[in-house]
Amino acid sequence: LPARRFRSMVAEGRIRVQTAGTAIGQVNGLAVIQAGPLTYGFPMRITATIGPGTAGAINIEREAELSGAIHNKSFYILGGLLRYLLRTDHPLAFDASIAFEQSYGGIDGDSASGAEMCCLLSALTDIPLRQDLAMTGAIDQVGNILPIGAVNEKIEGYFDTCRDICLTCSQGVIIPKSNVGDLMLRQDVVDACQQGTFHVYAVGTIHEALGIFTGRDPGLRGDDGRYAPSSVLGKAVEQARAYWEKAAPARPPGVR
């Protein structure tokens, strides 16, 4: 019954989930709820906003005391990964907030941290993310995508949502490569994948996920330690510097 009610509310538009097009600073995460002996998966819209400042990344769920210890830990790891990816020659100076929209209960676990990272980088760079995709996967501080639980239920939950709204043949999920051996999907989901109307992408790093979400070069450091300027991470470094220059106090002429 809870799963049917959720699907009905999504189809009616009372719970907002976007399964087509692109958006900046918005991504579909995947979550699960246990209802008695049953576990069902569903998409959850994650949004991020960012601007110049000194507060860093703010976890709205944690500030509202709706975040569990594991989710809090994963958020700190997200900050560590951001520092690892950008490696600027100046302090990171921005105010950012990340939220799970239309969520009114407690949130725990680290399976959304990969999606949160992609969402934050999208907000930082103004590069849109595909909304026909949903992602599950934890991260570590060097960008590896780590395995999560209930991968089958999460995939099936997003497939049901897409089918209820409108199956466009481009929709799919991004999962950790290390979870591929756990897949045991319903036959209708398997059939849709074989027919090319639904897709499952297995990734090992945050770079691979960014490439799928954006359709652009995610960015790898060259021998000089820099990213290509047109890459996602190259744009992130550029924008991080612009925020720092806006937030930094006045400096003497010639000092950078």
PDB file of all heavy atoms in Angstrom, residues 107-136:
ATOM      1  N   ILE A 107      16.448  10.843   7.554  1.00  0.00           N
ATOM      2  CA  ILE A 107      17.215  10.294   6.436  1.00  0.00           C
ATOM      3  C   ILE A 107      18.529   9.740   6.987  1.00  0.00           C
ATOM      4  O   ILE A 107      19.188  10.404   7.793  1.00  0.00           O
ATOM      5  CB  ILE A 107      17.499  11.367   5.373  1.00  0.00           C
ATOM      6  CG1 ILE A 107      16.219  11.753   4.650  1.00  0.00           C
ATOM      7  CG2 ILE A 107      18.537  10.887   4.363  1.00  0.00           C
ATOM      8  CD1 ILE A 107      16.392  12.844   3.635  1.00  0.00           C
ATOM      9  N   ASP A 108      18.890   8.556   6.549  1.00  0.00           N
ATOM     10  CA  ASP A 108      20.172   8.003   6.977  1.00  0.00           C
ATOM     11  C   ASP A 108      20.757   7.181   5.839  1.00  0.00           C
ATOM     12  O   ASP A 108      20.118   6.936   4.825  1.00  0.00           O
ATOM     13  CB  ASP A 108      20.006   7.141   8.230  1.00  0.00           C
ATOM     14  CG  ASP A 108      21.282   7.065   9.060  1.00  0.00           C
ATOM     15  OD1 ASP A 108      22.306   7.642   8.620  1.00  0.00           O
ATOM     16  OD2 ASP A 108      21.269   6.443  10.132  1.00  0.00           O
ATOM     17  N   GLY A 109      21.995   6.759   6.012  1.00  0.00           N
ATOM     18  CA  GLY A 109      22.680   6.000   4.976  1.00  0.00           C
ATOM     19  C   GLY A 109      23.528   6.896   4.095  1.00  0.00           C
ATOM     20  O   GLY A 109      23.385   8.125   4.101  1.00  0.00           O
ATOM     21  N   ASP A 110      24.418   6.278   3.341  1.00  0.00           N
ATOM     22  CA  ASP A 110      25.345   7.030   2.490  1.00  0.00           C
ATOM     23  C   ASP A 110      25.136   6.783   1.015  1.00  0.00           C
ATOM     24  O   ASP A 110      25.934   7.213   0.189  1.00  0.00           O
ATOM     25  CB  ASP A 110      26.789   6.688   2.861  1.00  0.00           C
ATOM     26  CG  ASP A 110      27.110   5.202   2.693  1.00  0.00           C
ATOM     27  OD1 ASP A 110      26.197   4.425   2.348  1.00  0.00           O
ATOM     28  OD2 ASP A 110      28.268   4.819   2.931  1.00  0.00           O
ATOM     29  N   SER A 111      24.046   6.101   0.640  1.00  0.00           N
ATOM     30  CA  SER A 111      23.882   5.702  -0.755  1.00  0.00           C
ATOM     31  C   SER A 111      23.571   6.864  -1.684  1.00  0.00           C
ATOM     32  O   SER A 111      23.659   6.719  -2.902  1.00  0.00           O
ATOM     33  CB  SER A 111      22.782   4.636  -0.883  1.00  0.00           C
ATOM     34  OG  SER A 111      21.526   5.160  -0.498  1.00  0.00           O
ATOM     35  N   ALA A 112      23.202   8.030  -1.139  1.00  0.00           N
ATOM     36  CA  ALA A 112      22.905   9.185  -1.987  1.00  0.00           C
ATOM     37  C   ALA A 112      24.105  10.106  -2.147  1.00  0.00           C
ATOM     38  O   ALA A 112      24.003  11.124  -2.848  1.00  0.00           O
ATOM     39  CB  ALA A 112      21.739   9.978  -1.407  1.00  0.00           C
ATOM     40  N   SER A 113      25.240   9.782  -1.532  1.00  0.00           N
ATOM     41  CA  SER A 113      26.356  10.738  -1.535  1.00  0.00           C
ATOM     42  C   SER A 113      26.943  10.945  -2.931  1.00  0.00           C
ATOM     43  O   SER A 113      27.408  12.041  -3.256  1.00  0.00           O
ATOM     44  CB  SER A 113      27.440  10.294  -0.547  1.00  0.00           C
ATOM     45  OG  SER A 113      27.863   8.977  -0.785  1.00  0.00           O
ATOM     46  N   GLY A 114      26.928   9.929  -3.776  1.00  0.00           N
ATOM     47  CA  GLY A 114      27.401  10.112  -5.150  1.00  0.00           C
ATOM     48  C   GLY A 114      26.510  11.076  -5.915  1.00  0.00           C
ATOM     49  O   GLY A 114      26.983  11.966  -6.625  1.00  0.00           O
ATOM     50  N   ALA A 115      25.191  10.911  -5.763  1.00  0.00           N
ATOM     51  CA  ALA A 115      24.249  11.820  -6.420  1.00  0.00           C
ATOM     52  C   ALA A 115      24.391  13.237  -5.867  1.00  0.00           C
ATOM     53  O   ALA A 115      24.313  14.218  -6.617  1.00  0.00           O
ATOM     54  CB  ALA A 115      22.815  11.314  -6.234  1.00  0.00           C
ATOM     55  N   GLU A 116      24.603  13.367  -4.567  1.00  0.00           N
ATOM     56  CA  GLU A 116      24.785  14.692  -3.961  1.00  0.00           C
ATOM     57  C   GLU A 116      26.018  15.385  -4.534  1.00  0.00           C
ATOM     58  O   GLU A 116      26.006  16.597  -4.782  1.00  0.00           O
ATOM     59  CB  GLU A 116      24.923  14.555  -2.448  1.00  0.00           C
ATOM     60  CG  GLU A 116      23.639  14.195  -1.729  1.00  0.00           C
ATOM     61  CD  GLU A 116      23.853  13.984  -0.247  1.00  0.00           C
ATOM     62  OE1 GLU A 116      24.690  13.128   0.123  1.00  0.00           O
ATOM     63  OE2 GLU A 116      23.206  14.661   0.555  1.00  0.00           O
ATOM     64  N   MET A 117      27.094  14.628  -4.755  1.00  0.00           N
ATOM     65  CA  MET A 117      28.322  15.208  -5.310  1.00  0.00           C
ATOM     66  C   MET A 117      28.069  15.738  -6.721  1.00  0.00           C
ATOM     67  O   MET A 117      28.478  16.849  -7.062  1.00  0.00           O
ATOM     68  CB  MET A 117      29.433  14.150  -5.338  1.00  0.00           C
ATOM     69  CG  MET A 117      30.794  14.691  -5.705  1.00  0.00           C
ATOM     70  SD  MET A 117      31.501  15.654  -4.371  1.00  0.00           S
ATOM     71  CE  MET A 117      32.072  17.080  -5.251  1.00  0.00           C
ATOM     72  N   CYS A 118      27.397  14.957  -7.551  1.00  0.00           N
ATOM     73  CA  CYS A 118      27.084  15.407  -8.908  1.00  0.00           C
ATOM     74  C   CYS A 118      26.190  16.638  -8.882  1.00  0.00           C
ATOM     75  O   CYS A 118      26.372  17.577  -9.676  1.00  0.00           O
ATOM     76  CB  CYS A 118      26.403  14.278  -9.692  1.00  0.00           C
ATOM     77  SG  CYS A 118      27.459  12.850 -10.029  1.00  0.00           S
ATOM     78  N   CYS A 119      25.233  16.663  -7.960  1.00  0.00           N
ATOM     79  CA  CYS A 119      24.315  17.792  -7.839  1.00  0.00           C
ATOM     80  C   CYS A 119      25.068  19.054  -7.435  1.00  0.00           C
ATOM     81  O   CYS A 119      24.836  20.136  -8.000  1.00  0.00           O
ATOM     82  CB  CYS A 119      23.251  17.447  -6.804  1.00  0.00           C
ATOM     83  SG  CYS A 119      21.897  18.612  -6.699  1.00  0.00           S
ATOM     84  N   LEU A 120      25.982  18.938  -6.475  1.00  0.00           N
ATOM     85  CA  LEU A 120      26.751  20.102  -6.019  1.00  0.00           C
ATOM     86  C   LEU A 120      27.638  20.648  -7.132  1.00  0.00           C
ATOM     87  O   LEU A 120      27.725  21.865  -7.334  1.00  0.00           O
ATOM     88  CB  LEU A 120      27.593  19.721  -4.804  1.00  0.00           C
ATOM     89  CG  LEU A 120      28.429  20.839  -4.172  1.00  0.00           C
ATOM     90  CD1 LEU A 120      27.538  21.972  -3.695  1.00  0.00           C
ATOM     91  CD2 LEU A 120      29.258  20.289  -3.011  1.00  0.00           C
ATOM     92  N   LEU A 121      28.296  19.760  -7.882  1.00  0.00           N
ATOM     93  CA  LEU A 121      29.162  20.207  -8.977  1.00  0.00           C
ATOM     94  C   LEU A 121      28.340  20.859 -10.094  1.00  0.00           C
ATOM     95  O   LEU A 121      28.800  21.804 -10.744  1.00  0.00           O
ATOM     96  CB  LEU A 121      29.976  19.039  -9.523  1.00  0.00           C
ATOM     97  CG  LEU A 121      31.105  18.550  -8.609  1.00  0.00           C
ATOM     98  CD1 LEU A 121      31.704  17.255  -9.129  1.00  0.00           C
ATOM     99  CD2 LEU A 121      32.192  19.618  -8.481  1.00  0.00           C
ATOM    100  N   SER A 122      27.132  20.365 -10.312  1.00  0.00           N
ATOM    101  CA  SER A 122      26.250  20.996 -11.305  1.00  0.00           C
ATOM    102  C   SER A 122      25.895  22.414 -10.886  1.00  0.00           C
ATOM    103  O   SER A 122      25.927  23.350 -11.689  1.00  0.00           O
ATOM    104  CB  SER A 122      24.979  20.161 -11.477  1.00  0.00           C
ATOM    105  OG  SER A 122      24.023  20.835 -12.263  1.00  0.00           O
ATOM    106  N   ALA A 123      25.564  22.600  -9.600  1.00  0.00           N
ATOM    107  CA  ALA A 123      25.241  23.933  -9.108  1.00  0.00           C
ATOM    108  C   ALA A 123      26.454  24.853  -9.187  1.00  0.00           C
ATOM    109  O   ALA A 123      26.319  26.042  -9.499  1.00  0.00           O
ATOM    110  CB  ALA A 123      24.731  23.849  -7.669  1.00  0.00           C
ATOM    111  N   LEU A 124      27.637  24.315  -8.919  1.00  0.00           N
ATOM    112  CA  LEU A 124      28.859  25.125  -8.945  1.00  0.00           C
ATOM    113  C   LEU A 124      29.208  25.571 -10.354  1.00  0.00           C
ATOM    114  O   LEU A 124      29.645  26.703 -10.570  1.00  0.00           O
ATOM    115  CB  LEU A 124      30.012  24.321  -8.339  1.00  0.00           C
ATOM    116  CG  LEU A 124      31.407  24.956  -8.354  1.00  0.00           C
ATOM    117  CD1 LEU A 124      31.427  26.258  -7.565  1.00  0.00           C
ATOM    118  CD2 LEU A 124      32.447  23.975  -7.792  1.00  0.00           C
ATOM    119  N   THR A 125      29.007  24.703 -11.334  1.00  0.00           N
ATOM    120  CA  THR A 125      29.446  24.976 -12.702  1.00  0.00           C
ATOM    121  C   THR A 125      28.350  25.500 -13.617  1.00  0.00           C
ATOM    122  O   THR A 125      28.628  25.917 -14.743  1.00  0.00           O
ATOM    123  CB  THR A 125      30.010  23.690 -13.335  1.00  0.00           C
ATOM    124  OG1 THR A 125      28.980  22.681 -13.339  1.00  0.00           O
ATOM    125  CG2 THR A 125      31.210  23.172 -12.548  1.00  0.00           C
ATOM    126  N   ASP A 126      27.084  25.434 -13.175  1.00  0.00           N
ATOM    127  CA  ASP A 126      25.936  25.765 -14.041  1.00  0.00           C
ATOM    128  C   ASP A 126      25.833  24.817 -15.229  1.00  0.00           C
ATOM    129  O   ASP A 126      25.297  25.181 -16.281  1.00  0.00           O
ATOM    130  CB  ASP A 126      26.000  27.210 -14.540  1.00  0.00           C
ATOM    131  CG  ASP A 126      25.514  28.207 -13.504  1.00  0.00           C
ATOM    132  OD1 ASP A 126      24.755  27.796 -12.606  1.00  0.00           O
ATOM    133  OD2 ASP A 126      25.892  29.380 -13.590  1.00  0.00           O
ATOM    134  N   ILE A 127      26.347  23.608 -15.076  1.00  0.00           N
ATOM    135  CA  ILE A 127      26.217  22.578 -16.111  1.00  0.00           C
ATOM    136  C   ILE A 127      25.024  21.696 -15.753  1.00  0.00           C
ATOM    137  O   ILE A 127      24.969  21.134 -14.655  1.00  0.00           O
ATOM    138  CB  ILE A 127      27.496  21.733 -16.230  1.00  0.00           C
ATOM    139  CG1 ILE A 127      28.658  22.600 -16.721  1.00  0.00           C
ATOM    140  CG2 ILE A 127      27.282  20.545 -17.173  1.00  0.00           C
ATOM    141  CD1 ILE A 127      30.001  21.881 -16.758  1.00  0.00           C
ATOM    142  N   PRO A 128      24.036  21.562 -16.641  1.00  0.00           N
ATOM    143  CA  PRO A 128      22.835  20.787 -16.299  1.00  0.00           C
ATOM    144  C   PRO A 128      23.084  19.285 -16.265  1.00  0.00           C
ATOM    145  O   PRO A 128      23.979  18.762 -16.948  1.00  0.00           O
ATOM    146  CB  PRO A 128      21.854  21.165 -17.415  1.00  0.00           C
ATOM    147  CG  PRO A 128      22.724  21.560 -18.568  1.00  0.00           C
ATOM    148  CD  PRO A 128      23.948  22.176 -17.974  1.00  0.00           C
ATOM    149  N   LEU A 129      22.275  18.611 -15.470  1.00  0.00           N
ATOM    150  CA  LEU A 129      22.318  17.156 -15.361  1.00  0.00           C
ATOM    151  C   LEU A 129      21.062  16.560 -15.990  1.00  0.00           C
ATOM    152  O   LEU A 129      19.981  17.147 -15.941  1.00  0.00           O
ATOM    153  CB  LEU A 129      22.381  16.727 -13.891  1.00  0.00           C
ATOM    154  CG  LEU A 129      23.540  17.251 -13.047  1.00  0.00           C
ATOM    155  CD1 LEU A 129      23.402  16.756 -11.610  1.00  0.00           C
ATOM    156  CD2 LEU A 129      24.877  16.817 -13.639  1.00  0.00           C
ATOM    157  N   ARG A 130      21.201  15.375 -16.559  1.00  0.00           N
ATOM    158  CA  ARG A 130      20.058  14.668 -17.116  1.00  0.00           C
ATOM    159  C   ARG A 130      19.081  14.284 -16.005  1.00  0.00           C
ATOM    160  O   ARG A 130      19.475  13.717 -14.982  1.00  0.00           O
ATOM    161  CB  ARG A 130      20.517  13.404 -17.842  1.00  0.00           C
ATOM    162  CG  ARG A 130      21.259  13.663 -19.133  1.00  0.00           C
ATOM    163  CD  ARG A 130      21.794  12.363 -19.719  1.00  0.00           C
ATOM    164  NE  ARG A 130      20.739  11.382 -19.970  1.00  0.00           N
ATOM    165  CZ  ARG A 130      20.966  10.162 -20.466  1.00  0.00           C
ATOM    166  NH1 ARG A 130      22.202   9.791 -20.755  1.00  0.00           N
ATOM    167  NH2 ARG A 130      19.966   9.316 -20.658  1.00  0.00           N
ATOM    168  N   GLN A 131      17.814  14.594 -16.209  1.00  0.00           N
ATOM    169  CA  GLN A 131      16.796  14.263 -15.224  1.00  0.00           C
ATOM    170  C   GLN A 131      16.107  12.933 -15.531  1.00  0.00           C
ATOM    171  O   GLN A 131      15.273  12.479 -14.739  1.00  0.00           O
ATOM    172  CB  GLN A 131      15.759  15.381 -15.149  1.00  0.00           C
ATOM    173  CG  GLN A 131      16.338  16.719 -14.739  1.00  0.00           C
ATOM    174  CD  GLN A 131      16.977  16.692 -13.369  1.00  0.00           C
ATOM    175  OE1 GLN A 131      16.298  16.474 -12.364  1.00  0.00           O
ATOM    176  NE2 GLN A 131      18.289  16.900 -13.301  1.00  0.00           N
ATOM    177  N   ASP A 132      16.455  12.333 -16.661  1.00  0.00           N
ATOM    178  CA  ASP A 132      15.896  11.017 -16.958  1.00  0.00           C
ATOM    179  C   ASP A 132      16.696   9.902 -16.293  1.00  0.00           C
ATOM    180  O   ASP A 132      16.364   8.725 -16.440  1.00  0.00           O
ATOM    181  CB  ASP A 132      15.807  10.780 -18.473  1.00  0.00           C
ATOM    182  CG  ASP A 132      17.140  10.989 -19.192  1.00  0.00           C
ATOM    183  OD1 ASP A 132      18.126  11.357 -18.530  1.00  0.00           O
ATOM    184  OD2 ASP A 132      17.181  10.797 -20.419  1.00  0.00           O
ATOM    185  N   LEU A 133      17.734  10.277 -15.554  1.00  0.00           N
ATOM    186  CA  LEU A 133      18.563   9.309 -14.841  1.00  0.00           C
ATOM    187  C   LEU A 133      18.404   9.491 -13.337  1.00  0.00           C
ATOM    188  O   LEU A 133      18.152  10.586 -12.854  1.00  0.00           O
ATOM    189  CB  LEU A 133      20.041   9.485 -15.209  1.00  0.00           C
ATOM    190  CG  LEU A 133      20.423   9.281 -16.669  1.00  0.00           C
ATOM    191  CD1 LEU A 133      21.900   9.585 -16.857  1.00  0.00           C
ATOM    192  CD2 LEU A 133      20.107   7.851 -17.119  1.00  0.00           C
ATOM    193  N   ALA A 134      18.558   8.409 -12.615  1.00  0.00           N
ATOM    194  CA  ALA A 134      18.635   8.446 -11.157  1.00  0.00           C
ATOM    195  C   ALA A 134      19.907   7.713 -10.752  1.00  0.00           C
ATOM    196  O   ALA A 134      20.383   6.835 -11.472  1.00  0.00           O
ATOM    197  CB  ALA A 134      17.411   7.783 -10.534  1.00  0.00           C
ATOM    198  N   MET A 135      20.458   8.081  -9.599  1.00  0.00           N
ATOM    199  CA  MET A 135      21.736   7.500  -9.188  1.00  0.00           C
ATOM    200  C   MET A 135      21.681   7.015  -7.751  1.00  0.00           C
ATOM    201  O   MET A 135      21.074   7.655  -6.884  1.00  0.00           O
ATOM    202  CB  MET A 135      22.864   8.521  -9.339  1.00  0.00           C
ATOM    203  CG  MET A 135      24.230   7.983  -8.931  1.00  0.00           C
ATOM    204  SD  MET A 135      25.557   9.188  -9.151  1.00  0.00           S
ATOM    205  CE  MET A 135      26.960   8.211  -8.569  1.00  0.00           C
ATOM    206  N   THR A 136      22.345   5.895  -7.503  1.00  0.00           N
ATOM    207  CA  THR A 136      22.607   5.421  -6.151  1.00  0.00           C
ATOM    208  C   THR A 136      24.058   4.984  -6.082  1.00  0.00           C
ATOM    209  O   THR A 136      24.595   4.440  -7.045  1.00  0.00           O
ATOM    210  CB  THR A 136      21.663   4.267  -5.755  1.00  0.00           C
ATOM    211  OG1 THR A 136      21.939   3.895  -4.398  1.00  0.00           O
ATOM    212  CG2 THR A 136      21.840   3.054  -6.660  1.00  0.00           C
TER     213      THR A 136
END
